[in-house]
Amino acid sequence: MSGLDAELPQLAIELSKQLQEGTRECVICTDTIARTDALWSCQRCHGVLHLPCVDFWSKNQDKSDTPSASFRCPLCQTTAANAGLVFRCFF
């Protein structure tokens, strides 16, 4: 098990606390992330952002006429699939 995997339970606890307290911020729009917002989470860095913001980010990364099949996570720059940006409830 990698070091990051061992830290996942603590990350989940911290994320839940930040969402409940309203102290988590979306790095795209800089607004506070509320518990009731539709969210997207990077599978690599576990950063949490507003789903509409990530959708906007993914559509505006490549201004060419050909849509890209992937996009970079705004936080860690890892390439992620551009298909299937879906809402998943963390609670």
Side-chain angles (χ1 to χ4, degrees):
M1 184 186 296
S2 74
L4 183 59
D5 291 339
E7 295 174 13
L8 284 180
Q10 183 61 33
L11 288 172
I13 291 167
E14 288 175 19
L15 174 60
S16 178
K17 182 179 177 183
Q18 290 172 347
L19 291 173
Q20 288 176 7
E21 295 174 348
T23 58
R24 186 70 175 210
E25 185 178 277
C26 176
V27 298
I28 297 173
C29 71
T30 67
D31 284 343
T32 301
I33 298 174
R35 285 177 36 131
T36 56
D37 291 342
L39 305 174
W40 176 85
S41 177
C42 177
Q43 292 181 354
R44 170 93 176 165
C45 71
H46 307 287
V48 177
L49 309 164
H50 292 123
L51 182 62
C53 294
V54 171
D55 187 42
F56 174 81
W57 170 268
S58 69
K59 289 176 182 174
N60 288 288
Q61 282 200 14
D62 185 8
K63 297 288 186 183
S64 69
D65 293 334
T66 308
S68 177
S70 64
F71 71 100
R72 291 175 293 110
C73 169
L75 297 167
C76 69
Q77 302 300 309
T78 298
T79 302
N82 200 12
L85 289 178
V86 295
F87 167 72
R88 290 197 172 93
C89 182
F90 282 89
F91 299 98

